[in-house]
Amino acid sequence: MVGKTHLYSGLCAGAGYALWAGLPLVPAALAVSAGMIGGVLPDLDHRKSKVTQKTGILGFCSSHLFKHRGVLHTPIVYFALWGGLTLSVDSNPLTHAVICGLLVGELSHLFLDMLNPSGIPLLWPLTRKRISLLPIPTGGKLDAMLGMAALAGTVALLLLILFR
């Protein structure tokens, strides 16, 4: 999927989490923002991705250190980071909203990449075999439709958060 699709899906995932968790407005805004960031973070392993280009030396190093759709495209990495962060930071609800928003955004990225013919190494480190659920090509009409659906879903979820 293209960067916009991941960005919009991360927003939608963050908004969905905020609504599900019943977060007040400020933590909800943090979760939505973190979801957007989490939606593009796994592509730090792609040399030409916007997130790699925008993060300077971090993006340069990560895109040269990791193979695209390798370890940064595996759920275990993000669950381990989520667990580590959850255990190591205070129990501040704002911090928790950011950590959970990042996680759901990252997982939305992985799910979308499973809809691509290339797939992701879902069961890494047990196997490097990539799992693909659908053959939706990157940059095609279905990719754009998914992005627009995620953006529309985000708007709907934000309205539900604001007017509940």
Side-chain angles (χ1 to χ4, degrees):
M1 302 301 147
V2 295
K4 284 182 186 178
T5 302
H6 286 305
L7 188 80
Y8 299 153
S9 295
L11 276 170
C12 191
Y17 165 73
L19 184 64
W20 173 82
L23 297 180
L25 196 54
V26 171
L30 289 172
V32 172
S33 300
M36 177 184 65
I37 294 166
V40 295
L41 273 182
D43 276 343
L44 278 171
D45 62 7
H46 190 291
R47 293 180 185 174
K48 294 184 180 180
S49 73
K50 290 249 194 270
V51 69
T52 297
Q53 294 169 3
K54 299 277 185 190
T55 53
I57 191 72
L58 170 68
F60 177 83
C61 291
S62 65
S63 68
H64 284 79
L65 183 62
F66 300 109
K67 179 183 171 193
H68 183 54
R69 292 204 184 181
V71 70
L72 292 184
H73 279 73
T74 60
I76 194 167
V77 167
Y78 299 106
F79 282 117
L81 284 171
W82 174 76
L85 286 171
T86 301
L87 292 173
S88 65
V89 298
D90 59 19
S91 59
N92 183 324
L94 300 178
T95 305
H96 188 70
V98 170
I99 292 170
C100 290
L102 280 169
L103 176 67
V104 297
E106 291 156 348
L107 293 178
S108 76
H109 184 111
L110 301 184
F111 175 74
L112 285 174
D113 278 356
M114 285 177 56
L115 301 179
N116 185 272
S118 298
I120 65 164
L122 183 66
L123 301 176
W124 184 90
L126 301 175
T127 177
R128 293 177 189 246
K129 183 178 191 271
R130 291 183 178 189
I131 307 294
S132 171
L133 301 176
L134 292 173
I136 299 175
T138 299
K141 288 181 182 180
L142 280 176
D143 183 343
M145 287 172 59
L146 283 170
M148 290 299 105
L151 187 56
T154 301
V155 170
L157 289 167
L158 290 176
L159 288 171
L160 287 171
I161 290 169
L162 286 172
F163 297 110
R164 59 184 144 142

